[in-house]
Amino acid sequence: MPKIITLTLSPKQASDAKFYTPLVARELRIKESDIALLRIVKRSVDARRGALKVNLSLEAYIDKEEQPAPLHFDYPSVVGKPEIIIVGAGPAGLYCALRLIELGYKPILFERGKEVVERGKDIAKIQRNQGVNPDSNYAFGEGGAGTFSDGKLFTRSKKRGDYNRALQRLVFHGASPEVLYEAHPHIGSDRLPRIIANMRDAISAAGGEVHFERRVEELIVRNGRVEGVIAGGDRVEAQAVVIATGHSARDIYYMLHRSGVRLEAKAYAMGVRIEHPQQLINNIQYHRSPEMEYLPSASYSLVAQVGGRGVYSFCMCPGGFIVPALTDESESVVNGMSPSHRNSPYANSGFVTEIREEDFAHLSEQYGALAGLVFQQQLEQAARAQAPENQTAPAQRVADFVAGRRSTSLPKCSYVPGIVESRLDEWMPKFMSSRLREAISVFDKRMKGYLTNEAVVVGVESRTSTPVRIPRDRESLQHPEVAGLYPTGEGAGFAGGIISAALDGERIAEAIATTVES
Ligand SMILES: Cc1cc2nc3c(=O)[nH]c(=O)nc-3n(C[C@H](O)[C@H](O)[C@H](O)COP(=O)(O)OP(=O)(O)OC[C@H]3O[C@@H](n4cnc5c(N)ncnc54)[C@H](O)[C@@H]3O)c2cc1C
């Protein structure tokens, strides 16, 4: 059995094994040379008041002790096994496919977007203001919305599935083992594409099918049971269809609505992206400590109640970039990503307020369950009207936004297509802008210097969660009125983030295994 040691260290001591290995040896009263393997099992930074500390939990394997076996996932051949259709190759769809293979089913994945390398080229075009491919962009394509992201792997919904197994699967497919022990693990936009491609190769090698540029246009339902889909004009049948299309696929909601599949409106959140110089956030969070250089770019997580509603930071990307996450040129939608080293000079975060059904009640009569979706689209279009040139986005300095005055200039910003000065409060619904402004003042009390004109707000952060739920039965996880239809992931309203979507996809695979004979 390895020995478990917990140390509280300075950032410098924790930064390199050459500093902490002698401390472990001293603690265990052994020679350093007796340690055959020392591996971190948990690392967290404690940046609360006073000196900065790093808590390290380590496993020490001494001398000839048996060492841990490398991670392995076994994907048996599923050639000839029952076929299950999965619509969408995001985290929910991919994890569902891999788990189905483990359980002896053949997944057939349809993805509207391109494979990850070709998709990267379309994303580069968006950044260069060369137009948006509506099927291949930051939201659509292999790996889904999280492929060109910060790749944060933290989730509050760890209980919904085997969180550690989900992380181990990523490591098996090429992620750094660090994700297994960091308190807030992340991968980075430069590394995610390779991992996603490895997952696809594993699916294909086991006999599963992955079809790119094949948008599912129709669901075939007869007598309350799903029979298959129409994808790229072809009819494809299966005993079960998994809908893992994410929350940006508005056409899927319209298609389901048209087909008489019951949907439900739900509360969600919208706002802006806020960006500060990373150095400013480091100084606030790390108290200008001289040992800051040994720590990663600092992050934050803020929440306030304003006028009875939650306002909160969301998907914070230290050392990252604001990106154009639109799926149609008529909209302005922003989001954030970071490379693995999180080393850009900018710190951006979603900064959003709750949107409740009462806020879009005026659209309910006309659009029913899709009213929230229409409200979301209207805000995105209002933002585009402020910055009509290509993929530029409307922006305002933060102190000006709070004071309700025009910005006479804008600071440097990581958003490559470019930002355009605009008074956000003049076109955003007042209930949103007033709450966002008040929350910035509240946050400034917790992080002195947060309210500054060095920072900028960019519009709009509208795709945080889905405004529409595709309901499902609690036990069978199928749509309550359509047997064999399994809604999953963020688009169905059962996940928020890469890992929670992945866990939900695995759950669906396990539910299918209880109803479809293998
Ligand atoms: C820029 C950005 C950064 C993000 N950063 C993070 C982060 O750091 N950490 C985190 O946890 N989350 C992050 N997110 C959110 C995260 O990506 C999502 O929560 C997650 O990807 C949801 O997974 P999903 O599988 O449910 O849906 P998605 O990832 O949205 O995947 C859905 C897939 O379905 C496909 N599809 C849609 N319609 C059809 C159709 N009709 N036919 C065939 N295919 C279709 C789409 O092309 C897409 O590939 C980020 C999102 C973005 C946009």
Side-chain angles (χ1 to χ4, degrees), residues 258-317:
R258 234 182 14 250
S259 316
V261 175
R262 181 165 61 84
L263 305 173
E264 294 167 359
K266 65 179 268 299
Y268 59 110
M270 292 201 288
V272 291
R273 225 159 239 244
I274 187 164
E275 182 172 88
H276 293 77
Q278 182 65 53
Q279 192 57 47
L280 185 142
I281 299 297
N282 289 350
N283 287 343
I284 300 175
Q285 298 296 73
Y286 294 151
H287 326 294
R288 296 181 182 275
S289 159
E291 291 216 7
M292 250 171 16
E293 62 174 294
Y294 296 104
L295 290 176
S297 294
S299 63
Y300 60 82
S301 169
L302 295 163
V303 57
Q305 282 291 317
V306 181
R309 296 272 182 106
V311 183
Y312 52 94
S313 64
F314 175 83
C315 183
M316 202 258 149
C317 297

Coordinates of all heavy atoms in Angstrom, one line a residue, residues 258-317:
R258 N -42.6 20.6 -33.9 CA -43.4 20.3 -35.1 C -43.9 18.8 -35.1 O -45.0 18.5 -35.5 CB -42.5 20.5 -36.3 CG -43.1 21.4 -37.4 CD -42.2 21.5 -38.6 NE -41.1 20.6 -38.8 CZ -39.8 20.9 -38.8 NH1 -39.4 22.1 -38.4 NH2 -38.9 20.0 -39.0
S259 N -43.1 17.9 -34.6 CA -43.4 16.5 -34.7 C -44.3 16.1 -33.5 O -44.6 14.9 -33.3 CB -42.2 15.6 -34.5 OG -41.2 16.1 -35.4
G260 N -44.7 17.1 -32.7 CA -45.6 16.8 -31.6 C -45.0 16.2 -30.4 O -45.6 15.7 -29.5
V261 N -43.6 16.3 -30.3 CA -42.9 15.8 -29.1 C -43.0 16.9 -28.0 O -42.5 18.0 -28.3 CB -41.4 15.4 -29.4 CG1 -40.7 15.1 -28.2 CG2 -41.4 14.3 -30.5
R262 N -43.5 16.6 -26.9 CA -43.7 17.6 -25.9 C -42.4 18.2 -25.4 O -41.4 17.4 -25.0 CB -44.5 17.1 -24.7 CG -44.8 18.1 -23.6 CD -45.9 17.6 -22.7 NE -45.5 16.3 -22.0 CZ -44.8 16.3 -20.9 NH1 -44.3 17.4 -20.3 NH2 -44.5 15.1 -20.3
L263 N -42.3 19.5 -25.3 CA -41.1 20.3 -24.8 C -41.6 21.1 -23.6 O -42.8 21.4 -23.5 CB -40.5 21.1 -25.8 CG -40.1 20.4 -27.1 CD1 -39.6 21.4 -28.2 CD2 -39.0 19.4 -26.9
E264 N -40.7 21.6 -22.8 CA -41.1 22.5 -21.7 C -40.2 23.7 -21.7 O -39.0 23.6 -21.8 CB -40.9 21.8 -20.3 CG -41.9 20.6 -20.2 CD -41.5 19.7 -19.0 OE1 -40.5 20.0 -18.3 OE2 -42.2 18.8 -18.7
A265 N -40.8 24.9 -21.4 CA -40.0 26.1 -21.3 C -39.3 26.0 -19.9 O -39.9 25.4 -19.0 CB -40.9 27.4 -21.3
K266 N -38.2 26.6 -19.7 CA -37.5 26.6 -18.4 C -36.7 27.9 -18.2 O -36.4 28.6 -19.2 CB -36.6 25.4 -18.2 CG -35.4 25.3 -19.2 CD -34.6 24.1 -18.9 CE -33.5 24.3 -17.9 NZ -32.5 25.3 -18.3
A267 N -36.4 28.1 -16.9 CA -35.6 29.3 -16.6 C -34.2 29.0 -17.1 O -33.7 27.9 -17.2 CB -35.6 29.5 -15.1
Y268 N -33.4 30.1 -17.4 CA -32.0 30.0 -17.8 C -31.3 31.2 -17.3 O -31.7 31.9 -16.4 CB -31.9 29.7 -19.3 CG -32.5 30.7 -20.2 CD1 -31.7 31.5 -21.0 CD2 -33.9 30.8 -20.3 CE1 -32.3 32.4 -21.9 CE2 -34.5 31.8 -21.2 CZ -33.6 32.5 -22.0 OH -34.2 33.4 -22.9
A269 N -30.2 31.6 -18.0 CA -29.5 32.8 -17.6 C -28.8 33.5 -18.8 O -28.5 32.8 -19.8 CB -28.4 32.4 -16.6
M270 N -28.8 34.8 -18.8 CA -28.1 35.5 -19.8 C -27.4 36.7 -19.3 O -27.7 37.2 -18.2 CB -29.1 36.0 -20.9 CG -29.7 34.8 -21.7 SD -30.3 35.4 -23.3 CE -31.8 36.3 -22.8
G271 N -26.5 37.3 -20.0 CA -25.8 38.5 -19.5 C -24.7 38.9 -20.5 O -24.9 38.9 -21.7
V272 N -23.5 39.1 -20.0 CA -22.4 39.5 -20.8 C -21.1 38.7 -20.5 O -21.1 37.9 -19.6 CB -22.1 41.0 -20.5 CG1 -23.2 41.9 -21.0 CG2 -21.8 41.2 -19.1
R273 N -20.0 38.9 -21.2 CA -18.7 38.4 -20.8 C -18.0 39.6 -20.2 O -18.1 40.7 -20.8 CB -18.0 37.9 -22.0 CG -17.4 36.6 -21.6 CD -16.9 35.5 -22.0 NE -17.6 34.4 -21.5 CZ -17.1 33.4 -20.8 NH1 -15.9 33.4 -20.4 NH2 -17.9 32.4 -20.4
I274 N -17.3 39.4 -19.2 CA -16.6 40.5 -18.5 C -15.1 40.1 -18.6 O -14.7 39.0 -18.3 CB -17.1 40.8 -17.1 CG1 -16.4 42.0 -16.5 CG2 -16.9 39.6 -16.2 CD1 -17.2 42.5 -15.2
E275 N -14.3 41.1 -19.0 CA -12.8 40.8 -19.1 C -12.0 41.8 -18.4 O -12.1 43.0 -18.6 CB -12.4 40.7 -20.6 CG -11.0 40.4 -20.8 CD -10.6 40.1 -22.2 OE1 -10.3 41.1 -22.9 OE2 -10.7 38.9 -22.7
H276 N -11.1 41.3 -17.5 CA -10.1 42.2 -16.8 C -8.7 41.8 -17.3 O -8.5 40.7 -17.7 CB -10.2 41.9 -15.3 CG -11.5 42.3 -14.6 ND1 -12.6 41.6 -14.8 CD2 -11.7 43.4 -13.8 CE1 -13.6 42.2 -14.1 NE2 -13.1 43.3 -13.5
P277 N -7.7 42.7 -17.0 CA -6.3 42.2 -17.2 C -6.1 41.1 -16.2 O -6.5 41.2 -15.0 CB -5.5 43.5 -16.8 CG -6.4 44.6 -17.0 CD -7.8 44.1 -16.6
Q278 N -5.4 40.0 -16.6 CA -5.2 38.9 -15.7 C -4.3 39.3 -14.5 O -4.5 38.8 -13.4 CB -4.5 37.7 -16.5 CG -4.2 36.5 -15.7 CD -5.5 35.8 -15.2 OE1 -6.3 35.5 -16.0 NE2 -5.6 35.6 -13.9
Q279 N -3.4 40.2 -14.8 CA -2.5 40.7 -13.7 C -3.3 41.3 -12.5 O -3.1 41.1 -11.4 CB -1.5 41.7 -14.2 CG -0.4 42.0 -13.2 CD 0.4 40.7 -12.8 OE1 0.8 39.9 -13.7 NE2 0.7 40.6 -11.5
L280 N -4.4 42.0 -12.9 CA -5.2 42.6 -11.9 C -5.9 41.6 -11.1 O -6.0 41.6 -9.8 CB -6.3 43.5 -12.6 CG -7.2 44.4 -11.7 CD1 -7.4 45.8 -12.4 CD2 -8.5 43.7 -11.6
I281 N -6.4 40.5 -11.7 CA -7.1 39.4 -11.0 C -6.1 38.7 -10.1 O -6.4 38.4 -9.0 CB -7.8 38.5 -12.0 CG1 -8.9 39.2 -12.8 CG2 -8.4 37.3 -11.3 CD1 -10.1 39.8 -12.0
N282 N -4.9 38.5 -10.7 CA -3.9 37.8 -9.8 C -3.5 38.6 -8.6 O -3.4 38.1 -7.5 CB -2.6 37.6 -10.6 CG -2.7 36.6 -11.7 OD1 -3.6 35.9 -11.8 ND2 -1.7 36.5 -12.6
N283 N -3.4 39.9 -8.8 CA -3.1 40.8 -7.6 C -4.2 40.8 -6.6 O -3.9 40.7 -5.4 CB -2.9 42.3 -8.1 CG -1.6 42.4 -8.8 OD1 -0.7 41.6 -8.8 ND2 -1.5 43.5 -9.6
I284 N -5.4 40.7 -7.0 CA -6.5 40.7 -6.1 C -6.5 39.4 -5.4 O -6.6 39.3 -4.1 CB -7.9 40.9 -6.8 CG1 -7.9 42.3 -7.5 CG2 -9.0 40.8 -5.7 CD1 -9.2 42.5 -8.3
Q285 N -6.5 38.3 -6.2 CA -6.7 36.9 -5.6 C -5.5 36.4 -4.8 O -5.6 35.7 -3.8 CB -7.1 35.9 -6.7 CG -8.4 36.2 -7.4 CD -9.6 36.1 -6.5 OE1 -9.8 37.0 -5.7 NE2 -10.4 35.1 -6.7
Y286 N -4.3 36.8 -5.3 CA -3.1 36.3 -4.6 C -2.4 37.4 -3.7 O -1.3 37.3 -3.3 CB -2.1 35.8 -5.7 CG -2.6 34.6 -6.4 CD1 -2.1 34.4 -7.7 CD2 -3.4 33.7 -5.9 CE1 -2.5 33.2 -8.4 CE2 -3.8 32.5 -6.6 CZ -3.4 32.3 -7.9 OH -3.8 31.2 -8.6
H287 N -3.2 38.5 -3.5 CA -2.7 39.5 -2.5 C -1.3 40.0 -2.8 O -0.5 40.3 -2.0 CB -2.7 39.0 -1.1 CG -3.8 38.0 -0.8 ND1 -5.2 38.4 -0.9 CD2 -3.8 36.7 -0.5 CE1 -5.9 37.3 -0.6 NE2 -5.1 36.3 -0.4
R288 N -1.0 40.2 -4.1 CA 0.3 40.7 -4.6 C 1.5 39.9 -4.0 O 2.6 40.4 -3.7 CB 0.5 42.2 -4.2 CG -0.5 43.1 -4.9 CD -0.3 44.5 -4.6 NE -1.3 45.3 -5.3 CZ -1.2 45.8 -6.5 NH1 -0.1 45.5 -7.2 NH2 -2.2 46.5 -7.1
S289 N 1.3 38.6 -3.7 CA 2.3 37.8 -3.0 C 3.5 37.7 -4.0 O 3.4 37.5 -5.2 CB 1.8 36.4 -2.7 OG 2.8 35.5 -2.6
P290 N 4.8 37.8 -3.4 CA 5.9 37.6 -4.2 C 6.0 36.2 -4.8 O 6.7 35.9 -5.8 CB 7.1 37.8 -3.3 CG 6.5 37.8 -1.9 CD 5.1 38.1 -2.0
E291 N 5.3 35.2 -4.3 CA 5.3 33.8 -4.8 C 4.2 33.6 -5.8 O 4.0 32.4 -6.3 CB 5.2 32.8 -3.6 CG 6.4 32.8 -2.7 CD 6.8 31.4 -2.2 OE1 6.2 30.5 -2.6 OE2 7.7 31.4 -1.4
M292 N 3.6 34.7 -6.3 CA 2.5 34.5 -7.3 C 3.0 33.8 -8.6 O 2.2 33.1 -9.2 CB 2.0 35.9 -7.7 CG 0.7 36.2 -7.3 SD 0.1 37.9 -7.5 CE 1.1 38.8 -8.6
E293 N 4.2 34.1 -8.9 CA 4.8 33.5 -10.2 C 4.8 32.0 -10.2 O 4.8 31.4 -11.2 CB 6.2 34.0 -10.4 CG 7.1 33.6 -9.3 CD 8.6 33.9 -9.6 OE1 9.2 33.4 -10.6 OE2 9.2 34.7 -8.8
Y294 N 4.7 31.4 -9.0 CA 4.6 29.9 -8.9 C 3.2 29.3 -9.0 O 3.0 28.1 -9.0 CB 5.3 29.4 -7.7 CG 6.8 29.7 -7.6 CD1 7.2 30.8 -6.8 CD2 7.7 29.1 -8.4 CE1 8.5 31.1 -6.7 CE2 9.0 29.4 -8.3 CZ 9.4 30.5 -7.5 OH 10.8 30.8 -7.5
L295 N 2.3 30.2 -9.1 CA 0.9 29.7 -9.2 C 0.3 30.0 -10.6 O 0.7 30.8 -11.3 CB 0.0 30.5 -8.1 CG 0.4 30.2 -6.7 CD1 -0.4 31.1 -5.7 CD2 0.1 28.7 -6.4
P296 N -0.8 29.2 -10.9 CA -1.5 29.4 -12.2 C -2.2 30.7 -12.2 O -2.5 31.3 -11.1 CB -2.4 28.2 -12.2 CG -2.6 27.8 -10.8 CD -1.4 28.1 -10.1
S297 N -2.6 31.2 -13.3 CA -3.4 32.4 -13.4 C -4.6 32.3 -12.5 O -5.3 31.2 -12.5 CB -3.9 32.6 -14.9 OG -2.8 32.9 -15.7
A298 N -4.9 33.3 -11.8 CA -5.9 33.2 -10.8 C -7.3 33.2 -11.4 O -7.5 33.9 -12.4 CB -5.8 34.3 -9.8
S299 N -8.3 32.6 -10.7 CA -9.7 32.6 -11.2 C -10.5 33.1 -10.1 O -10.0 33.4 -9.0 CB -10.1 31.2 -11.6 OG -10.0 30.3 -10.5
Y300 N -11.8 33.2 -10.4 CA -12.7 33.6 -9.3 C -14.1 33.0 -9.6 O -14.4 32.6 -10.7 CB -12.8 35.2 -9.2 CG -13.3 35.9 -10.4 CD1 -14.6 36.0 -10.8 CD2 -12.4 36.4 -11.3 CE1 -15.0 36.6 -11.9 CE2 -12.8 37.1 -12.5 CZ -14.1 37.2 -12.8 OH -14.5 37.8 -13.9
S301 N -14.9 33.0 -8.6 CA -16.3 32.6 -8.7 C -17.2 33.5 -7.8 O -16.9 33.5 -6.6 CB -16.4 31.1 -8.3 OG -17.7 30.7 -8.2
L302 N -18.1 34.2 -8.4 CA -18.8 35.2 -7.6 C -20.3 35.0 -7.8 O -20.7 34.7 -8.9 CB -18.4 36.6 -8.1 CG -17.0 37.1 -7.8 CD1 -16.6 38.3 -8.6 CD2 -16.8 37.3 -6.3
V303 N -21.0 35.2 -6.7 CA -22.5 35.1 -6.8 C -23.1 36.2 -5.9 O -22.6 36.4 -4.8 CB -23.0 33.7 -6.6 CG1 -22.6 33.2 -5.2 CG2 -24.5 33.6 -6.7
A304 N -24.2 36.8 -6.4 CA -24.9 37.8 -5.5 C -26.4 37.6 -5.8 O -26.8 37.1 -6.8 CB -24.5 39.2 -5.9
Q305 N -27.2 38.0 -4.8 CA -28.7 38.1 -5.0 C -29.0 39.6 -5.3 O -28.7 40.4 -4.4 CB -29.4 37.6 -3.8 CG -29.4 36.1 -3.6 CD -30.3 35.4 -4.7 OE1 -31.4 35.9 -4.9 NE2 -29.8 34.4 -5.2
V306 N -29.6 39.9 -6.4 CA -29.9 41.3 -6.7 C -31.4 41.3 -7.1 O -31.8 40.6 -8.0 CB -29.1 41.9 -7.8 CG1 -29.5 43.3 -8.0 CG2 -27.6 41.8 -7.5
G307 N -32.2 42.0 -6.3 CA -33.7 42.1 -6.6 C -34.3 40.7 -6.6 O -35.1 40.5 -7.5
G308 N -33.9 39.9 -5.7 CA -34.5 38.5 -5.6 C -34.0 37.6 -6.7 O -34.6 36.5 -6.8
R309 N -33.0 37.9 -7.5 CA -32.5 37.0 -8.5 C -31.0 36.8 -8.3 O -30.3 37.7 -7.9 CB -32.6 37.7 -9.9 CG -34.0 38.0 -10.3 CD -34.6 36.8 -11.1 NE -36.0 37.1 -11.5 CZ -36.3 37.4 -12.8 NH1 -35.4 37.3 -13.7 NH2 -37.5 37.7 -13.1
G310 N -30.6 35.6 -8.7 CA -29.2 35.3 -8.7 C -28.4 36.0 -9.9 O -29.0 36.0 -11.0
V311 N -27.3 36.6 -9.6 CA -26.4 37.1 -10.6 C -25.0 36.5 -10.3 O -24.6 36.5 -9.2 CB -26.3 38.7 -10.6 CG1 -25.4 39.2 -11.7 CG2 -27.7 39.3 -10.6
Y312 N -24.4 35.9 -11.3 CA -23.2 35.2 -11.0 C -22.2 35.2 -12.1 O -22.5 35.4 -13.3 CB -23.5 33.8 -10.5 CG -24.4 33.0 -11.5 CD1 -23.9 32.2 -12.4 CD2 -25.8 33.1 -11.4 CE1 -24.8 31.5 -13.3 CE2 -26.7 32.4 -12.2 CZ -26.1 31.6 -13.2 OH -26.9 30.9 -14.1
S313 N -20.9 34.9 -11.7 CA -19.9 34.7 -12.7 C -20.0 33.3 -13.2 O -20.5 32.4 -12.5 CB -18.5 34.9 -12.2 OG -18.2 34.0 -11.1
F314 N -19.6 33.0 -14.4 CA -19.9 31.7 -15.0 C -18.8 31.3 -16.0 O -18.4 32.2 -16.8 CB -21.3 31.8 -15.7 CG -21.7 30.6 -16.5 CD1 -22.3 29.6 -15.9 CD2 -21.5 30.6 -17.9 CE1 -22.7 28.5 -16.6 CE2 -21.9 29.4 -18.6 CZ -22.5 28.4 -18.0
C315 N -18.3 30.1 -15.9 CA -17.3 29.7 -16.9 C -16.1 30.7 -17.0 O -15.8 31.2 -18.1 CB -18.0 29.5 -18.3 SG -16.9 28.9 -19.6
M316 N -15.5 30.9 -15.9 CA -14.4 31.9 -15.8 C -13.2 31.2 -16.6 O -12.9 30.1 -16.4 CB -14.1 32.2 -14.4 CG -13.3 33.5 -14.2 SD -11.6 33.2 -13.9 CE -10.9 34.6 -14.6
C317 N -12.5 32.0 -17.4 CA -11.4 31.5 -18.2 C -10.2 32.4 -17.9 O -9.9 33.4 -18.5 CB -11.7 31.6 -19.7 SG -13.1 30.6 -20.2

